[in-house]
Amino acid sequence: MIYLDNCATTKPDPEVLKTFHTVNEKYYFNPSSPHHKGLETNKLLEQARSQIRDILKLKNQSIIFTSGATESNNLLITGMARSKKPFGQTIITSHLEHPSALETVRALESEGFTVKYVEFKDGRLDLEHFKSLLNSDVTLVCLMHVNNVMGAILPITSIKEVLKNYPKVHFHVDCVQSFGKLELPVDAMDSFVLSGHKFNGLKGQGLLVFNQLKTITHTVFGGGQEYGFRSGTVNVANDVALSRAVRIAESERTELYSRTQHFKEQLEHAVQQLPGLYVNSLEEGVPHIVNIGFPGVKGEVIVNAFSKEDICVSTTSACSSKRAKFNEALNALHVPETVIAGSVRVSFDKYTTQSDINRFITVLQQIYREMKELIKDAV
Ligand code: PLP
């Protein structure tokens, strides 16, 4: 099997699995228990938190362990918007966001919030348009660092520069597809989220990093764990294993970048040799995501054709492919409608090899030959 759907999820690193197993076996105690075993377990948990703090080069920010980026986005966006409601009710976001941010923001519309969407020009966030959306009613800006469908990189530091003139605005960033691939602009973000299974950790591992913990409205009530922000018995083995995944991913980041950059160039070059096909992903996007457009053919048909050859790729994103008829992110980035329907995402991680890429290109050429007439008619 050749697995090229690493934006959907990645294969867990054996070291992460080992940590999870060992901690579960030896430290299964409740870290809130007052006895010595509870205290030891709690120490392990706090050690994991502080290791992550060091790796991410955090200053005063708090780290909250969650079940994933979906929960982190929900907790922050809902809690922050509600706590700032007396000061303003406008949220700025973009059509590129993951459903865990976009649908949360949209749910807030029914509570009376106004949602505005920043536009994109030539694949880049339009900063002038962003500035035009800002006014005294804006309290929350929710954007992502790297888009999960096209690999577009958003200018987080420049956005923060603009926001310096709007001190009551909280700037929340989804760093799910950038951590382990790019250096995170930690000082430019008021809060951000990570998801363990996107960088060879485990599913159900998430982080919310936040600089104003006390100012937010809680949405999960109970025993007051995770600074009262996320009640529920803490999954210590999961969180310690996440800290391991964070350390490994950061230590391998630069090497992974150059290796995947090489893969991306090869793949894009191969696509450019096949008349009618499009490279949707941007040259200045992240190297681990390549998006290919097959005009006139449905993305699902292409995914199935690769599946028959034991190659896993995906249409848009695993989360939106089951829901949306057409991809909102590709549309916001002005990909033509005929190409959107036939878009396929190929994504790499540290286990992707040169022979995976060679095989993918051979199968791509084969599928192209079979579908050439359909593609030609659509162009
Ligand atoms: N944000 C982005 C950009 C993603 O790609 C994903 C997962 O696809 C998520 C958030 C949700 O992450 P999780 O699966 O940890 O809830």
Side-chain angles (χ1 to χ4, degrees), residues 293-298 338-339 341-342 371 374-379:
F294 295 75
V297 189
K298 289 247 177 309
T338 46
V339 180
M371 308 212 172
L374 290 172
I375 293 166
K376 202 172 69 192
D377 288 348
V379 180

Side-chain angles (χ1 to χ4, degrees), residues 259-273 354 357-358 361 364:
R259 229 158 49 81
T260 51
Q261 181 72 39
H262 189 53
F263 293 157
K264 182 181 177 183
E265 282 162 13
Q266 291 176 55
L267 224 66
E268 290 186 347
H269 178 74
V271 173
Q272 280 150 5
Q273 306 312 304
Q354 182 61 55
I357 301 298
N358 297 347
I361 291 174
L364 172 72

Side-chain angles (χ1 to χ4, degrees), residues 146 150-153 257 261 264 281-289:
V146 167
M150 288 276 276
I153 304 172
Y257 189 95
Q261 181 72 39
K264 182 181 177 183
S281 37
L282 312 161
E283 207 181 319
E284 67 266 31
V286 283
H288 70 289
I289 302 175

